[in-house]
Amino acid sequence: MKKIAYYLFFLLVFSQMQAQKDFQGMAVYESKTQAPKIDGIRSGNRDITPEMQKTIEERMKQMLEKTFVLNFDKSASIYKEEEKLEAPGQQGGGMRMMMNSMMGGGGTFYKDVKSKSYTVDKEFMGKEFLVTDSLPQLKWKLEAETKLIGGYTCYKATAVKEASKTDFRNFRPKNPDDKKAAKKADETKKTSAETKTNFEDNFEMPKEIAITAWYTPDIPVSQGPENYWGLPGLILEINDGKTVILCSKVVLNAKDKVTIKPSTKGKVVSQKDYDETVIKKMEEFREMNRGRAGGPPMMGR
């Protein structure tokens, strides 16, 4: 009887270990970012017309609403945008690709919470990069507040992070009082004929962003969308005030397994090196757009 008991015990332990090893899940996220208001903004030396404003707003809306799929196991995950067919006659693919990269888009975002590292392949201005770096470690504050998301009980967690200068979603409209003061000061130095207000001059980048996350201990993995992780359960919602990423579907232990591994395409660079490349190119576009008298704004092209 003792031998049978020992056998059943080891069989149970082995089954549990195997179940943990084979555990895998999939979560679908809907990402929406509030587009900045463009009322009263000038392009070059002319006001943006209602027709231009409508076109810009429609394009921004398309770029700021995305669907992502997160495949995860106990220690790693891959997060990738769901592919969509491009609308017929839509142009400006190069610019959209650049803006997609600056709005949190890109290729496959791989996170390994054991090694606390990530790898993401990005295409920027016709070049392929493989960004590899350490995962950001936010100082999460666990709250007692709860709510239901898709039938899962989720707990609130908050944190503050440094804003990425290469993530367009972080741009905020400048304070109107600050704009007036800057304009007044500028007019004292230049004549009206020389003064030009650029589209991107109306926005600024905050230094920090407040993050609110909702995670569920019912799915005990330290994973989440984008580069978010570090909570005692799968993150089902992220809100930074401008962008909301909400889980719309969860599937656990599906029959068909997904290979969870990092991409290997592109020039290997650190996040710092990649950001410097993007910022340099953004400055080049800013100067080019600044020199186009009456030309369309960079975002509208």
Side-chain angles (χ1 to χ4, degrees), residues 140-146 154-159 212-215:
W140 292 108
K141 180 182 178 182
L142 304 185
E143 312 278 359
E145 187 178 347
T146 65
C154 295
Y155 291 81
K156 183 179 180 179
T158 57
T212 298
W214 295 90
Y215 67 94

Side-chain angles (χ1 to χ4, degrees), residues 167-186:
D167 190 341
F168 173 81
R169 297 172 301 176
N170 295 329
F171 283 152
R172 306 287 193 267
K174 286 184 178 179
N175 186 301
D177 294 334
D178 293 340
K179 286 202 309 183
K180 290 178 181 178
K183 185 177 180 181
K184 186 176 181 180
D186 189 60

Side-chain angles (χ1 to χ4, degrees), residues 128-147:
E128 292 185 338
F129 296 90
L130 192 64
V131 183
T132 302
D133 218 316
S134 300
L135 280 169
Q137 299 192 46
L138 299 180
K139 295 181 179 179
W140 292 108
K141 180 182 178 182
L142 304 185
E143 312 278 359
E145 187 178 347
T146 65
K147 72 175 180 178

